[in-house]
């Protein structure tokens, strides 16, 4: 097969929030940049973010970055790296103000400033009361942000390769990253994108679960590519289950609904969060709210004929508030729950939403991996940002609105690092190995010729059912052990997928088969990392690590205050320390404590 | 809704093997949980993996799965399957070149969107904080900024069918007015100059198909009217 070669200063894979923010940095600095994206940029999943982006602007209530940092570290259950967290919260105002200057249509306060609403786990004065920190454009913040970022890239003349799917990372014998291979969906042709710098901004992989708020395209492509090429994946056992997915449909209902005053109720109409989180109640951290909901359902207080969901009630809000602040939610609720939330509460269940772990990076956006006894050695030429990366700012549980902040701050930071490395002459075009495209061509060729194998949708469904059953909101020792066996069996099936469609042109069967290769890496990493972590922390809560005096909330800092690293080869696990030291001397480390809300 | 079988008539064309397009009659048994047209065609694809269409968010915000459904443009993910007359006829969006099956080449559509300079222009030095905007001024952007670029409107517009290279089309003009209406934008005159042309703006004959099909209930015709008003006011 003929493989075209294209050469750039930098190649960015993914055109969601993180990719577009990084692209802007490179385009405006004059680097020759290619942005590869499976979908037209404004169709990336950032578009579905609803409630807001965190920044301690203090437009409606007093606020400062110290409080935001405390909330984020506590929310992470102390697994987040405090240097990266300090970096993120201190950059928040800058990146949000920039977006406003790019034209993002934020809602406004009466005095014309950016409108901010309360959100889960965000507090004033170190946990005392909710704070208004979430900068919002109605309940369409991600849409407004993604379009503003795309529009700014149009202005900057960024070069996009739309509907190109990256296939594999290209590394040389030293392990340096030299670019990617990619397939043009319209023609089926494979090309090499040879670059001095490669930035992954490929998003999450929520489609490993059966019930997910995530788009079809969220198949962990970058995470899978990194894993297959020998990069370890960090903290993949930590997945966020968003408390309020529409029951049955999985579509997201923003936490901003509770930020605007929405209340969760059980079958008897009780506001049950008062029992689980007496202080922040419905605005406790997402892991806490999701577990409380599942406990209500498991103990027979769920709603509906099957007692399998709870209700999100905003009928006490004025129709004007709902129409002004939550218009998209009303549409979604009518479309997917058949309920007008002005008149009746919305049926909701915890639904897989966000991948806290990912490709390990530092706060500069450089991908890091262990080498010669040092846990965090940058991989030359390789950068990552957004949901695919693990900086790690979210640790064991992400706060709502910190994901849009993450992609802005670290998208920009990765871009800045590449520009600096480029200008200082640290980035050079290293020679491509002769076999640079061989792995990708072999994958394509196998799909051309595979017979007697398994159907892509069957294998995908088996994976999703396995993840849902064995690695859900609550985790159980035996289920996790069985889950490891099951997912490894599914992974064997994924090696022999077959497709009937052999067309070169826009072959979506082939795309889905290639995506499954990425999903399965993420699923294995998740199950194996989760089985191994013998404590409860943040979103990872297991039955054999209960709340005791010695281990509050089941957390075991003595043995498990460390990041997991999973290597695809041999399913090997390694660990590295959590950075408990902030970046600067302006703030003391946030001391370990039991999480309560 | 329980299990039921649904009949389809689907436009099929694979340039790799078909000399010309054809309509395929096909049926699929749906599960109780299949509620939207997208659910049905995703299930159909498990029977015939060669059926090609775009899809992503499945909640009406990414704009991928626009198609012509029983003669009217819409998003598959927001269309209730059980409310459609059978056989459900699916065709690619009209007026754009077909690449394969339900996938059209949207180059011309995006070219028109890009032609209106879809970004905020403000040449004042950037202030340290946000540029202020009153809630009332911000409300002027409602009904404009929510566009998802699905192309349902432009590909239902006869003026766009006839002159896709010259007429900006409803989606592009809605975006143009989104920036004209933004108090932070300083390029009003340049934007109006850019549209003052027998084709770019004035090929809109208020047929209003765009309003009829918009899955986000937006009103490009009204936005076009407001641009025309601005031109008149500028002229006097």
């Amino acid at each position: 097969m003929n493989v075209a070669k294209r050469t750039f200063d930098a190649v960015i894979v993914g055109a969601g929030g993180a990719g577009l923010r990084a692209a802007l940095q490179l385009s405006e600095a004059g680097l020759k940049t290619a942005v590869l994206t499976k979908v037209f940029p404004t169709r990336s999943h950032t578009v579905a973010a609803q409630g807001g982006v965190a920044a301690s602007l203090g437009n409606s209530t007093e606020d400062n970055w110290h409080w935001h940092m405390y909330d984020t570290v506590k929310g992470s259950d102390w697994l987040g790296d405090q240097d990266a967290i300090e970096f993120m919260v201190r950059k928040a105002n800058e990146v949000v103000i920039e977006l406003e200057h790019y034209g993002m249509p934020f809602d406004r306060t009466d005095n014309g400033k950016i409108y901010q609403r309360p959100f889960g786990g965000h507090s004033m004065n170190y946990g005392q009361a909710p704070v208004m920190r979430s900068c919002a454009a109605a309940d369409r913040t991600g849409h407004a942000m993604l379009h503003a970022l795309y529009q700014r890239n149009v202005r900057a003349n960024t070069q996009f390769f739309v509907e190109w799917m990256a296939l594999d990372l290209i590394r040389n014998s030293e392990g340096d990253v030299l670019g990617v291979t990619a397939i043009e969906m319209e023609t089926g042709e494979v090309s090499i994108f040879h670059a001095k710098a490669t930035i992954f901004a490929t998003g999450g992989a929520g489609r490993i679960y059966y019930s997910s708020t995530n788009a079809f395209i969220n198949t962990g492509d970058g995470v899978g590519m990194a894993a297959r090429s020998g990069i370890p994946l960090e903290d993949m056992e930590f997945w966020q289950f968003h408390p309020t997915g529409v029951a049955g449909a999985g579509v997201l209902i923003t936490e901003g609904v509770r930020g605007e005053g929405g209340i969760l109720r059980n079958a008897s109409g009780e506001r049950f969060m008062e029992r689980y989180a007496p202080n922040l109640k419905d605005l406790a951290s997402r892991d806490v709210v999701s577990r409380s909901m599942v406990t209500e359902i498991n103990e027979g207080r769920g709603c509906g004929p099957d007692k399998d969901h709870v209700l999100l009630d905003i009928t006490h809000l004025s129709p004007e508030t709902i129409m002004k602040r939550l218009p998209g939610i009303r549409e979604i609720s009518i479309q997917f729950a058949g309920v007008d939330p002005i008149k009746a509460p919305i049926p909701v269940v915890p639904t897989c939403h966000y991948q806290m772990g990912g490709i390990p990076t530092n706060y500069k956006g450089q991908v890091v991996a262990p080498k010669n006894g040092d846990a965090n050695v940058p991989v030359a030429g390789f950068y990552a940002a957004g949901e695919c990366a693990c900086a790690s700012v979210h640790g064991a549980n992400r706060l709502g609105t910190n994901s849009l902040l993450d992609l802005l701050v670290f998208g920009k930071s990765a871009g800045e690092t590449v520009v600096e490395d480029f200008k200082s002459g640290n980035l050079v075009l290293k020679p491509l190995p002769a076999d640079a495209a061989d792995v990708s061509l072999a994958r394509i060729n196998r799909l051309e010729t595979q017979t007697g194998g398994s159907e892509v949708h069957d294998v995908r469904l088996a994976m999703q059912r396995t993840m849902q059953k064995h690695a859900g909101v609550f985790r159980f020792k035996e289920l996790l052990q069985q889950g490891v066996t099951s997912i490894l069996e599914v992974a064997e099936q994924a090696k022999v997928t077959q497709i009937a469609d052999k067309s070169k042109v826009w072959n979506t069967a082939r795309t889905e088969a290639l995506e499954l290769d990425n999903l399965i890496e993420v699923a294995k990493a998740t199950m194996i990392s989760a089985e191994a972590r013998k404590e409860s922390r943040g979103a990872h809560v297991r039955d054999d690590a209960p709340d005791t005096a010695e281990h509050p909330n089941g957390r075991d800092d003595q043995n498990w205050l460390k990041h997991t690293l999973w290597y695809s080869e041999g399913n090997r696990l390694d660990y590295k320390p959590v950075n408990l030291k902030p970046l600067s001397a302006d703030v003391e480390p946030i001391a370990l404590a039991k999480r309560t809300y | 809704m329980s299990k039921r079988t649904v009949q389809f008539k689907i436009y099929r064309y694979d340039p790799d093997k078909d000399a010309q397009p054809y309509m395929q009659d096909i049926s699929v048994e749906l599960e109780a949980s299949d509620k939207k047209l997208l659910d049905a065609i995703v299930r159909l694809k498990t029977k015939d993996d060669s059926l090609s269409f775009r899809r992503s968010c499945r909640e009406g915000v990414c704009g991928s799965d626009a198609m012509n459904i029983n003669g009217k443009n819409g998003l598959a993910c927001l269309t209730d399957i059980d409310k459609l007359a059978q056989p459900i006829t699916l065709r690619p969006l009209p007026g754009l070149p077909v690449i394969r099956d339900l996938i059209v080449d949207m180059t011309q559509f995006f070219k028109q969107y890009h032609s209106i300079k879809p970004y905020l222009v403000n040449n004042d030095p950037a202030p340290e904080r946000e540029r202020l905007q009153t809630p009332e001024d911000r409300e002027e952007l409602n009904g404009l900024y929510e566009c998802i670029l699905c192309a349902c409107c432009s590909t239902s517009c006869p003026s766009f069918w006839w002159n896709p290279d010259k007429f900006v089309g409803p989606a592009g003009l809605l975006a143009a007015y989104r920036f004209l209406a933004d108090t932070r934008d300083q390029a009003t005159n340049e934007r109006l100059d850019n549209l003052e042309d027998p084709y770019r703006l004035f090929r809109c004959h208020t047929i209003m198909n765009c309003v009829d099909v918009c899955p986000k209930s937006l009103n490009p015709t009204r936005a076009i009217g407001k641009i025309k008003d601005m031109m008149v006011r500028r002229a006097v």
Side-chain angles (χ1 to χ4, degrees):
Chain A
M1 195 180 201
N2 187 29
V3 179
K5 287 192 189 71
R6 291 177 160 85
T7 305
F8 292 89
D9 292 328
V11 57
I12 298 175
V13 184
L20 289 178
R21 189 63 194 79
L24 209 46
Q25 220 59 32
L26 303 194
S27 292
E28 289 183 345
L31 271 69
K32 192 184 173 204
T33 306
V35 182
L36 308 184
T37 172
K38 283 200 292 193
V39 294
F40 185 79
T42 62
R43 317 218 187 284
S44 308
H45 194 54
T46 303
V47 80
Q50 297 172 354
V53 50
S56 54
L57 295 172
N59 284 352
S60 293
T61 52
E62 188 190 345
D63 201 3
N64 64 64
W65 66 263
H66 289 271
W67 296 350
H68 188 187
M69 177 166 174
Y70 169 83
D71 292 336
T72 303
V73 172
K74 178 181 169 184
S76 82
D77 218 348
W78 277 267
L79 193 70
D81 288 328
Q82 296 197 19
D83 58 340
I85 293 174
E86 182 191 345
F87 182 80
M88 179 177 80
V89 299
R90 294 186 78 166
K91 284 274 183 191
N93 290 9
E94 170 191 317
V95 294
V96 168
I97 296 295
E98 273 171 358
L99 266 180
E100 195 282 327
H101 293 164
Y102 296 167
M104 177 156 163
F106 283 108
D107 284 7
R108 299 290 169 157
T109 62
D110 286 341
N111 55 13
K113 295 179 178 175
I114 292 172
Y115 170 77
Q116 297 185 281
R117 61 162 59 110
F119 236 78
H122 290 282
S123 72
M124 58 171 73
N125 212 7
Y126 308 102
Q128 272 189 0
V131 70
M132 293 167 84
R133 186 179 290 150
S134 169
C135 309
D139 53 1
R140 304 187 180 100
T141 311
H143 171 279
M145 179 182 288
L146 189 67
H147 281 251
L149 284 171
Y150 176 67
Q151 290 160 352
R152 188 75 175 185
N153 272 285
V154 171
R155 178 179 179 273
N157 247 327
T158 299
Q159 188 179 0
F160 290 100
F161 289 78
V162 176
E163 293 171 339
W164 283 69
M165 181 186 180
L167 296 174
D168 291 285
L169 197 59
I170 302 172
R171 302 180 75 184
N172 64 15
S173 54
E174 281 77 52
D176 304 339
V177 169
L178 311 176
V180 291
T181 52
I183 187 166
E184 183 180 29
M185 290 154 92
E186 185 173 338
T187 61
E189 277 172 25
V190 175
S191 289
I192 288 173
F193 285 76
H194 187 198
K196 298 170 186 171
T198 301
I199 303 179
F200 272 14
T202 53
R207 284 273 158 178
I208 63 168
Y209 283 90
Y210 181 70
S211 170
S212 173
T213 65
N214 282 201
F216 281 102
I217 58 169
N218 289 23
T219 53
D221 296 341
V223 182
M225 283 188 271
R228 280 197 305 275
S229 74
I231 306 279
L233 303 183
E234 181 173 345
D235 293 340
M236 291 302 292
E237 61 270 45
F238 297 101
W239 281 86
Q240 178 158 86
F241 287 79
H242 195 290
T244 55
V246 172
V251 176
L252 175 68
I253 299 285
T254 175
E255 191 170 288
V257 170
R258 283 170 283 140
E260 296 289 344
I263 292 169
L264 291 165
R265 298 188 190 281
N266 62 18
S268 60
E270 182 202 5
R271 183 181 193 179
F272 57 86
M273 279 313 299
E274 288 179 329
R275 278 187 278 119
Y276 298 92
N279 194 20
L280 293 187
K281 301 185 180 79
D282 300 87
L283 286 176
S285 218
R286 286 182 180 170
D287 58 337
V288 173
V289 178
S290 283
R291 280 195 293 274
S292 307
M293 291 167 67
V294 172
T295 302
E296 289 298 299
I297 293 166
N298 287 348
E299 293 180 359
R301 294 188 292 279
C303 306
D306 299 324
K307 296 179 181 292
D308 59 356
H309 59 268
V310 300
L311 294 173
L312 176 58
D313 186 5
I314 51 170
T315 55
H316 53 289
L317 302 185
S318 74
E320 293 73 36
T321 301
I322 295 172
M323 300 297 280
K324 185 170 179 187
R325 301 292 182 205
L326 305 167
I329 285 312
R330 182 164 178 253
E331 276 173 39
I332 284 175
S333 185
I334 291 170
Q335 273 281 349
F336 293 97
V339 162
D340 183 346
I342 291 174
K343 296 176 192 144
I346 312 166
V348 290
V349 285
T351 306
C352 173
H353 183 57
Y354 189 86
Q355 166 193 309
M356 261 81 72
I359 303 167
T361 71
N362 57 25
Y363 71 90
K364 295 175 181 170
Q366 296 170 306
V367 174
V368 293
K371 196 174 181 181
N372 303 329
D374 183 345
N376 294 300
V377 180
V379 177
F382 195 23
Y383 309 77
E387 191 171 343
C388 74
C390 181
S392 145
V393 286
H394 309 305
N397 170 67
R398 175 174 72 75
L399 297 188
T401 69
N402 268 354
S403 59
L404 289 184
L405 180 59
D406 169 348
L407 61 82
L408 289 175
V409 168
F410 294 106
K412 180 176 183 182
S413 180
E416 283 178 336
T417 306
V418 169
V419 171
E420 278 165 31
D421 288 352
F422 181 78
K423 288 188 172 160
S424 65
N426 286 340
L427 285 175
V428 289
L429 198 67
K430 294 170 182 162
L432 280 174
D435 61 355
D438 287 7
V439 171
S440 301
L441 294 177
R443 289 174 67 204
I444 301 283
N445 188 52
R446 185 190 69 74
L447 288 171
E448 294 282 325
T449 54
Q450 180 78 50
T451 52
S454 48
E455 296 293 327
V456 174
H457 58 89
D458 288 340
V459 180
R460 190 172 54 214
L461 187 62
M463 172 193 67
Q464 291 171 335
R465 295 279 194 201
T466 303
M467 297 310 295
Q468 198 78 27
K469 180 177 171 193
H470 295 270
V473 173
F474 283 106
R475 294 168 176 188
F476 302 88
K477 183 184 173 191
E478 284 179 11
L479 276 177
L480 285 166
Q481 287 169 344
Q482 294 162 9
V484 170
T485 309
S486 302
I487 205 68
L488 292 176
E489 284 167 9
V490 176
E492 288 304 309
Q493 292 296 305
K495 289 179 185 166
V496 292
T497 48
Q498 66 180 21
I499 54 176
D501 187 355
K502 306 292 184 190
S503 174
K504 291 269 178 290
V505 179
W506 249 103
N507 187 329
T508 48
R510 181 177 56 203
T511 303
E512 290 185 23
L514 294 166
E515 288 173 334
L516 183 62
D517 292 343
N518 296 321
L519 283 166
I520 204 74
E521 293 294 327
V522 178
K524 284 187 294 180
T526 299
M527 194 70 82
I528 288 163
S529 304
E531 192 278 329
R533 183 175 282 271
K534 307 285 193 296
E535 64 155 356
S536 296
R537 183 184 297 271
H540 175 69
V541 165
R542 38 190 299 162
D543 65 328
D544 54 346
D547 185 16
T548 61
E550 193 192 351
H551 298 303
N553 291 339
R555 200 177 80 197
D556 178 1
D557 289 328
Q558 197 161 3
N559 293 305
W560 288 101
L561 183 58
K562 57 188 180 185
H563 296 295
T564 306
L565 294 175
W566 171 86
Y567 289 83
S568 181
E569 191 173 9
N571 289 304
R572 181 166 66 88
L573 289 175
D574 193 3
Y575 294 89
K576 69 175 183 179
V578 175
N579 189 346
L580 298 168
K581 197 166 162 278
L583 196 59
S584 78
D586 298 342
V587 58
E588 292 289 313
I590 311 292
L592 288 158
K594 179 177 181 176
R595 272 173 88 218
T596 53
Y597 284 98
Chain B
M1 192 56 69
S2 55
K3 286 197 177 191
R4 67 277 190 213
T5 299
V6 177
Q7 311 292 329
F8 283 98
K9 223 178 203 358
I10 304 180
Y11 179 101
R12 300 298 304 267
Y13 174 60
D14 175 3
D16 223 17
K17 66 179 176 64
D18 301 324
Q20 55 189 20
Y22 62 98
M23 295 303 289
Q24 178 189 27
D25 294 302
I26 189 167
S27 66
V28 64
E29 189 186 35
L30 300 183
E31 296 293 325
S33 57
D34 296 331
K35 298 200 165 83
K36 301 295 181 183
L37 173 59
L38 182 62
D39 300 330
I41 55 177
V42 165
R43 194 160 302 283
L44 198 50
K45 195 169 168 59
T46 65
K47 287 176 61 175
D48 174 2
D49 70 4
S50 70
L51 176 64
S52 302
F53 51 93
R54 294 186 176 102
R55 84 284 180 271
S56 183
C57 76
R58 58 84 164 89
E59 59 189 60
V61 70
C62 79
S64 297
D65 63 350
M67 55 188 71
N68 188 269
I69 306 158
N70 282 350
K72 186 176 174 183
N73 292 352
L75 298 182
C77 62
L78 295 185
T79 302
D80 290 328
I81 188 86
D82 294 311
K83 289 183 185 160
L84 293 171
Q86 294 184 34
I88 298 165
T89 305
L90 301 181
R91 293 174 182 274
L93 289 175
L96 294 176
V98 176
I99 299 174
R100 178 176 176 180
D101 296 346
L102 301 173
I103 295 172
V104 290
D105 180 350
M106 297 184 73
T107 306
Q108 196 62 54
F109 172 79
F110 288 121
K111 206 170 164 185
Q112 290 296 0
Y113 173 68
H114 293 149
S115 80
I116 61 96
K117 294 195 166 56
Y119 45 81
L120 194 85
V121 175
N122 186 316
N123 294 318
D124 292 344
E128 260 181 53
R129 291 288 303 227
E130 64 265 56
R131 294 195 164 98
L132 300 181
Q133 186 173 47
T134 66
E136 295 72 32
D137 285 341
R138 166 61 184 79
E139 261 180 46
E140 292 297 314
L141 307 182
N142 286 349
L144 305 171
Y145 82 94
E146 302 93 324
C147 172
I148 58 174
L149 299 174
C150 65
C152 280
C153 60
S154 293
T155 61
S156 70
C157 172
S159 298
F160 190 77
W161 296 338
W162 293 323
N163 297 106
D165 53 334
K166 293 181 188 156
F167 174 50
V168 172
L173 291 169
L174 185 83
Y177 186 63
R178 177 252 172 273
F179 291 99
L180 284 165
D182 196 321
T183 52
R184 300 169 296 175
D185 189 86
Q186 298 176 329
T188 304
N189 269 322
E190 293 87 329
R191 292 185 189 284
L192 293 177
D193 289 347
N194 177 295
L195 297 174
E196 193 145 30
D197 170 283
Y199 284 93
R200 286 180 63 70
L201 172 70
F202 290 100
R203 281 289 129 166
C204 170
H205 299 306
T206 61
I207 297 165
M208 295 184 74
N209 282 0
C210 55
V211 182
D212 191 37
V213 299
C214 177
K216 307 307 285 183
S217 306
L218 307 179
N219 190 330
T221 305
R222 186 168 60 208
I224 292 166
K226 290 197 170 180
I227 300 174
K228 288 178 179 171
D229 288 348
M230 288 178 87
M231 289 216 179
V232 171
R233 264 184 277 134
R234 183 170 77 149
V236 292

